[in-house]
Amino acid sequence: MVSKSYSNLLEMSCGDGVDFRQPFKSLPRVVTSPGIISDPDWDTRSDGDSVGSASSVERKIIVANFLPLNCTKDEAGQWSFSRDDDALLMQLKDGFSNETDVIYVGSLKVQVDPSEQDQVAQKLLRDYRCIPTFLPPDLQQQFYHGFCKQQLWPLFHYMLPICLDKGELFDRSLFQAYVRANKLFADKVMEAINTDDDHVWVHDYHLMLLPTFLRKRLHRIKLGFFLHSPFPSSEIYRSLPVRDEILKSLLNADLIGFQTFDYARHFLSCCSRLLGLHYESKRGYIGIDYFGRTVSLKILSVGVHVGRLESILKLPATVKKVQEIEQSYKGKMLMLGVDDMDIFKGISLKLLGLELLLDRNPKLRGKVVLVQIVNPARSTGKDVEEAITESVSVAERINLKYGSVDYKPVVLIDHRIPFYEKIAFYAASDCCIVNAVRDGMNLVPYEYTVCRQGNEEIDNARGSDTNCHHTSTLIVSEFVGCSPSLSGAFRVNPWSVDDVADALHHATDLTESEKRLRHEKHYRYVRSHSVAYWAHSFAQDLGRACKDHYSRRCWAIGFGLNFRVIALSPGFRKLSLEHFASSYNKATRRAIFLDYDGTLVPQSSINKAPSDELITILNSLCDDPKNDVFIVSGRARSLLDEWFAPCQKLGIAAEHGYFVRWNKATEWESSYPNHDFEWKHIAEPVMQVYTETTDGSSIEPKESALVWHYLDADHDFGSCQAKELLGHLERVLSNEPVVVKCGHYIVEVKPQGVSKGLVVDKVIHRLMNNGKTPDFVVCIGNDRSDEDMFKSIDSMTSSSAFPAVPEVFACSVGQKPSKAKYYVDDAGEVVRLLKNVAGISSHREAVSHGRVTFRDVMDYVD
């Protein structure tokens, strides 16, 4: 039995793989720090304090950079911890059933002395179901404040390193720290995982390499990843020197979540442009085909914990604070901004909008107040200092210009305030404005909407009817993730001060009924799309994405961050040279079908003509009287005739079998001698239009077909044009006896009934009619058209047409989903395979007379 924590991936890649249809026996992993790991051989008791307790309880392992805990250390040096009930990670538990065991893995926001780490780890696991990842201070600095905040965070918010003197260029040492930190997080997650049914949910850009490290150790791990930040367009993302490593790591997850479709679209574009991957939507779900695995995408924005906000809103301190605020700004329209202090929140742009509003509308002076709450900065640096200075400067200028002794247009709260006070400001404000120039989500509008719904206590304090309708007004930047879900908000371009000023003016001019309708629309959405709904929906989709884990055969390939798992059907395995050669040697009649491009010559080869070595190998195979060898290609017969002129006995099927020649001495045959090609006069002008408008595309005319190539065109534009061309050709050729198909960077029009599968069927039937029924059939190909050959051979050999079932070697080039039962790695391996059996053919007579043994022949070939 192979342990599920299989550590030597190379052993898996060179064997027959692991059959994942049979589930492994669970191996308990009890965790936390060195010295407290229970041995599975003698300690399998259920222990409430251990992460690895064996039970049927559903377990979710939530992994994030920071644990959802508050940490303090008193003067006596004693640590105290408490749950941070306002943390998103703590709130998402409400989306799971009450029986779910939720375990958190992450680091603490404080440094713990190494001598205290074991004690702290045990306490956190016992009391809070948390497993801390202790990063050394220097690693924490390089990982979080270095690579995460200086490299990834600006780039994901569309900020490129333009000024070389600011130290913004990519720093390889910081990335290495990022790798080391992710590896440490992976070690802790592995300690937490106990059964194959555990779900691991990784959060945000700090841990984007974690999927690779976890997939390396557990090929069947049920792994989800959610990106809370924006994902930039491919033009921005491709500037990251480690772009491929991060993309490939994310694709080692089963489900990847994004806040908005825009972010998911950018991710898909990067996968397409940088890795050449394809995606499709099936029954509402978007999936990327990645080496036989389908990586699903989830698009759903995070919500807020409505119950938590409502409970704080009921606190007497909150109700009292609401009264104080409303009394302080009585007779004025109170506008509110709540933002972290960073360069992307657009605080100064918001203030400039207010300044323009007051400048254009003198009647609003003294009647409008903007309270700007500034949360402490999460990172440091010159840019943050400049943003603070600029915001304070603009606020002071506005107050000096339009304020008075008893009136300040801008109230800047730049110190930390209790959460209940922030909730009170939400409840008391007539309008809330979020003006970020780029933000992954931003939950401020959602929190504001819930708080404006109010409650009975606040209504009574105001002296208003508890059945009265509540109102709210939102101004939201179109560059924040929550914008698409708030259709009743005023959406603004934060870079346009005029836009912001106009929106502020509209907010002051709304009728009560319009405010009420906007509020009700937003409140219905926010309440129904809470954080619990988001968590439940993600967990549900993660389960769906992992449902076929046990029905696939997995292979591990690649080193380091290029590691990936290939998922194939259980019967699909690597072709064994020794088994193939042994069967070849025992056969009395052999039929050999070989694709050309991508099978006998590499797809990337510039010179597509066969090498002298390949010609020699084919001639050796053809000289064996037991063999019938065919090249089955989509290329034109004139070109194949020229390339294989030295091969006198080689059979050729050109243009997917439209033309067939049994050997050089025979004439070309066609199964469609009277075919009408008038359709070419319709199709070629259409293709020409797309060729002229798609740089890098070309038309390849064949005798029986027309092919439009777009391999050298822009990847996205070429794919888009190919889809459009496919539909266009299908419409104009709907009454013609042709089929239009998409292939590997091609769109092809060819006569109906022409396929490689049909030509293989024809050849085998003729061989049988001539008394040459093969007992050994080889078919090797690399693309979609070759799947027809595999299907045809499988259908024939499983029917009663053969007197005895032949040994079939249907073989795909490359490890990918296929109807074939075997695969080889590349075209070079195909040539080596043929060279070996060609050597067997040339020594067949010596073997038959007993002058040498089969092992001698194999040694000779080697």
Side-chain angles (χ1 to χ4, degrees):
M1 165 168 275
V2 181
S3 167
K4 70 175 184 175
S5 59
Y6 211 120
S7 60
N8 191 342
L9 300 174
L10 291 178
E11 291 179 20
M12 294 195 68
S13 63
C14 64
D16 280 343
V18 181
D19 188 352
F20 288 145
R21 290 171 294 172
Q22 300 299 323
F24 292 112
K25 180 181 177 181
S26 298
L27 300 179
R29 298 181 205 281
V30 183
V31 106
T32 64
S33 58
I36 57 171
I37 301 180
S38 67
D39 192 310
D41 291 335
W42 60 79
D43 184 6
T44 56
R45 295 168 298 169
S46 178
D47 181 356
D49 291 342
S50 76
V51 176
S53 55
S55 69
S56 59
V57 174
E58 184 181 27
R59 299 169 78 247
K60 310 285 188 188
I61 301 171
I62 309 298
V63 193
N65 184 33
F66 291 121
L67 291 171
L69 298 173
N70 297 312
C71 319
T72 57
K73 193 173 187 179
D74 60 25
E75 294 180 357
Q78 296 298 313
W79 285 103
S80 65
F81 302 94
S82 62
R83 289 186 176 86
D84 183 359
D85 292 328
D86 297 320
L88 179 70
L89 297 183
M90 191 61 71
Q91 295 174 351
L92 62 78
K93 288 175 60 176
D94 285 5
F96 309 143
S97 67
N98 293 332
E99 292 76 27
T100 302
D101 181 18
V102 181
I103 301 165
Y104 294 97
V105 177
S107 59
L108 294 169
K109 298 177 183 178
V110 295
Q111 284 295 326
V112 178
D113 189 87
S115 63
E116 301 176 294
Q117 289 178 2
D118 287 358
Q119 181 182 355
V120 168
Q122 293 182 51
K123 177 178 176 60
L124 293 183
L125 177 61
R126 182 181 62 250
D127 297 343
Y128 302 102
R129 304 298 285 165
C130 291
I131 300 176
T133 302
F134 297 111
L135 300 181
D138 57 338
L139 180 59
Q140 174 71 18
Q141 178 66 30
Q142 290 181 305
F143 157 65
Y144 181 68
H145 295 288
F147 192 76
C148 290
K149 286 300 181 181
Q150 293 180 22
Q151 304 282 342
L152 289 180
W153 187 74
L155 185 80
F156 277 35
H157 288 75
Y158 287 72
M159 183 177 178
L160 289 173
I162 299 174
C163 301
L164 306 185
D165 61 341
K166 289 188 175 183
E168 297 171 341
L169 286 180
F170 179 77
D171 187 337
R172 178 66 61 174
S173 66
L174 295 182
F175 177 65
Q176 290 169 349
Y178 185 76
V179 174
R180 292 198 303 274
N182 275 251
K183 177 70 166 55
L184 291 175
F185 275 90
D187 293 341
K188 289 300 179 182
V189 174
M190 289 305 300
E191 291 178 355
I193 292 177
N194 183 48
T195 73
D196 295 330
D197 293 325
D198 292 350
H199 287 69
V200 180
W201 188 359
V202 182
H203 289 263
D204 224 6
Y205 64 93
H206 315 90
L207 302 173
M208 289 193 293
L209 298 183
L210 200 53
T212 286
F213 291 125
L214 294 177
R215 187 70 65 185
K216 271 186 178 183
R217 306 186 191 186
L218 287 177
H219 298 343
R220 288 180 305 157
I221 188 171
K222 297 176 179 178
L223 179 58
F225 179 92
F226 193 89
L227 184 67
H228 293 265
S229 76
F231 194 92
S233 71
S234 62
E235 293 304 310
I236 298 292
Y237 180 78
R238 70 196 308 172
S239 67
L240 184 64
V242 289
R243 59 194 188 183
D244 288 358
E245 290 87 338
I246 289 177
L247 276 185
K248 290 175 181 177
S249 180
L250 291 176
L251 291 168
N252 276 320
D254 295 298
L255 178 67
I256 307 173
F258 297 93
Q259 303 275 18
T260 71
F261 174 69
D262 273 350
Y263 304 158
R265 177 169 57 87
H266 294 157
F267 176 77
L268 291 171
S269 179
C270 288
C271 290
S272 176
R273 286 176 171 269
L274 301 178
L275 302 181
L277 301 177
H278 299 279
Y279 61 90
E280 59 181 349
S281 180
K282 289 183 179 179
R283 298 180 179 178
Y285 295 99
I286 300 175
I288 302 173
D289 182 24
Y290 189 58
F291 292 95
R293 294 173 52 246
T294 298
V295 182
S296 299
L297 264 61
K298 173 77 173 175
I299 303 167
L300 182 64
S301 57
V302 177
V304 296
H305 197 296
V306 177
R308 169 71 175 162
L309 294 172
E310 290 177 342
S311 65
I312 297 177
L313 206 57
K314 290 181 179 180
L315 294 175
T318 307
V319 176
K320 181 180 179 182
K321 187 64 180 180
V322 170
Q323 288 180 288
E324 291 177 3
I325 295 170
E326 291 181 342
Q327 185 61 37
S328 298
Y329 299 103
K330 188 174 182 180
K332 298 180 178 65
M333 180 176 184
L334 180 59
M335 297 181 174
L336 179 67
V338 180
D339 301 281
D340 294 339
M341 175 47 73
D342 68 54
I343 58 177
F344 297 110
K345 291 301 186 285
I347 296 175
S348 58
L349 292 172
K350 183 192 307 182
L351 297 177
L352 291 174
L354 176 67
E355 183 179 33
L356 185 59
L357 172 73
L358 297 177
D359 182 61
R360 289 178 174 176
N361 303 274
K363 64 179 182 179
L364 293 178
R365 298 170 190 172
K367 297 181 180 179
V368 174
V369 175
L370 172 63
V371 173
Q372 177 62 54
I373 299 174
V374 181
N375 300 321
R378 298 185 187 181
S379 59
T380 59
K382 186 178 179 181
D383 291 333
V384 175
E385 294 173 2
E386 290 175 351
I388 295 173
T389 302
E390 185 177 17
S391 299
V392 171
S393 174
V394 175
E396 290 176 348
R397 186 179 71 225
I398 294 173
N399 288 336
L400 184 63
K401 188 175 181 180
Y402 300 109
S404 61
V405 176
D406 57 350
Y407 168 66
K408 285 187 177 181
V410 179
V411 177
L412 204 60
I413 302 176
D414 56 358
H415 57 273
R416 190 182 296 276
I417 62 174
F419 190 61
Y420 79 88
E421 284 193 21
K422 195 181 296 182
I423 295 298
F425 272 106
Y426 282 143
S429 300
D430 301 290
C431 173
C432 180
I433 174 170
V434 175
N435 202 51
V437 297
R438 186 72 59 179
D439 207 348
M441 182 58 193
N442 202 310
L443 295 175
V444 166
Y446 289 4
E447 293 174 345
Y448 167 74
T449 299
V450 173
C451 295
R452 284 295 290 177
Q453 184 68 12
N455 54 37
E456 185 177 347
E457 289 81 0
I458 292 177
D459 288 340
N460 289 335
R462 288 171 174 164
S464 57
D465 184 2
T466 56
N467 295 320
C468 68
H469 296 291
H470 298 92
T471 65
S472 65
T473 306
L474 278 170
I475 300 173
V476 179
S477 163
E478 61 191 45
F479 297 115
V480 298
C482 65
S483 175
S485 62
L486 299 171
S487 56
F490 293 106
R491 295 196 182 102
V492 297
N493 174 5
W495 297 104
S496 171
V497 177
D498 287 306
D499 252 17
V500 177
D502 289 343
L504 290 170
H505 184 264
H506 286 309
T508 65
D509 205 31
L510 286 178
T511 63
E512 287 299 308
S513 62
E514 192 169 357
K515 291 178 185 178
R516 176 175 55 82
L517 290 173
R518 290 173 184 263
H519 171 76
E520 289 174 352
K521 186 175 187 179
H522 292 158
Y523 184 71
R524 282 195 302 271
Y525 177 86
V526 173
R527 189 167 190 84
S528 62
H529 290 73
S530 64
V531 65
Y533 172 83
W534 167 74
H536 176 76
S537 181
F538 189 93
Q540 194 174 48
D541 280 5
L542 179 57
R544 179 191 56 79
C546 300
K547 66 182 180 182
D548 65 343
H549 274 194
Y550 290 97
S551 64
R552 311 288 287 181
R553 192 185 188 98
C554 293
W555 299 79
I557 64 171
F559 297 96
L561 296 178
N562 287 316
F563 173 86
R564 56 197 177 276
V565 168
I566 297 175
L568 305 169
S569 60
F572 193 61
R573 57 189 181 275
K574 187 174 178 65
L575 182 60
S576 166
L577 172 60
E578 188 164 334
H579 174 50
F580 180 76
S582 176
S583 300
Y584 179 93
N585 188 59
K586 294 174 184 176
T588 57
R589 290 297 314 175
R590 311 181 190 102
I592 301 173
F593 301 96
L594 304 169
D595 175 44
Y596 185 69
D597 290 281
T599 300
L600 297 178
V601 293
Q603 197 81 50
S604 58
S605 176
I606 297 176
N607 181 11
K608 298 292 187 181
S611 64
D612 293 340
E613 180 189 28
L614 181 57
I615 294 294
T616 301
I617 293 170
L618 291 174
N619 277 328
S620 296
L621 290 172
C622 293
D623 287 340
D624 190 331
K626 293 184 178 180
N627 292 345
D628 288 283
V629 185
F630 270 82
I631 296 293
V632 186
S633 173
R635 287 193 176 271
R637 61 173 171 172
S638 58
L639 190 58
L640 294 174
D641 193 13
E642 175 189 343
W643 281 352
F644 294 102
C647 301
Q648 300 293 324
K649 300 178 183 179
L650 180 67
I652 299 176
E655 301 188 16
H656 298 295
Y658 189 87
F659 297 107
V660 179
R661 190 183 72 184
W662 287 81
N663 54 59
K664 191 172 178 62
T666 61
E667 296 295 326
W668 287 97
E669 302 174 6
S670 174
S671 301
Y672 315 90
N674 300 317
H675 198 280
D676 183 9
F677 290 101
E678 287 298 317
W679 57 267
K680 286 189 175 183
H681 300 300
I682 302 172
E684 190 165 12
V686 175
M687 286 187 173
Q688 190 60 44
V689 170
Y690 285 83
T691 303
E692 292 172 358
T693 56
T694 311
D695 189 34
S697 65
S698 61
I699 300 174
E700 179 191 358
K702 299 180 182 179
E703 290 183 65
S704 66
L706 287 173
V707 185
W708 187 74
H709 295 267
Y710 63 95
L711 177 62
D712 297 326
D714 176 86
H715 191 280
D716 286 349
F717 184 56
S719 298
C720 179
Q721 290 289 79
K723 291 178 184 177
E724 183 66 25
L725 175 60
L726 180 69
H728 195 160
L729 290 171
E730 285 177 338
R731 288 193 299 272
V732 299
L733 298 173
S734 58
N735 296 323
E736 301 294 330
V738 295
V739 291
V740 186
K741 286 190 174 182
C742 267
H744 189 63
Y745 293 105
I746 65 166
V747 176
E748 184 173 25
V749 184
K750 61 182 180 182
Q752 291 176 348
V754 177
S755 76
K756 289 185 177 182
L758 290 177
V759 75
V760 166
D761 186 83
K762 175 182 177 181
V763 169
I764 290 179
H765 273 99
R766 185 176 293 192
L767 290 174
M768 294 171 65
N769 293 335
N770 293 338
K772 298 181 179 180
T773 302
D775 59 354
F776 178 90
V777 179
V778 179
C779 182
I780 307 178
N782 78 308
D783 63 20
R784 293 181 189 175
S785 62
D786 301 314
E787 294 296 317
D788 292 335
M789 291 198 290
F790 303 147
K791 184 178 180 181
S792 176
I793 290 173
D794 183 63
S795 176
M796 289 185 66
T797 54
S798 60
S799 68
S800 58
F802 281 85
V805 178
E807 187 152 17
V808 177
F809 289 89
C811 185
S812 170
V813 180
Q815 299 181 30
K816 55 181 179 288
S818 172
K819 293 183 177 68
K821 293 184 178 180
Y822 300 94
Y823 76 89
V824 292
D825 290 330
D826 52 33
E829 190 168 347
V830 175
V831 173
R832 289 193 295 273
L833 183 79
L834 297 176
K835 182 178 180 179
N836 277 291
V837 294
I840 294 174
S841 286
S842 63
H843 287 73
R844 178 179 55 85
E845 185 177 354
V847 174
S848 65
H849 286 84
R851 293 194 296 270
V852 294
T853 65
F854 177 68
R855 174 52 59 190
D856 293 329
V857 173
M858 294 305 297
D859 292 340
Y860 167 81
V861 171
D862 291 340

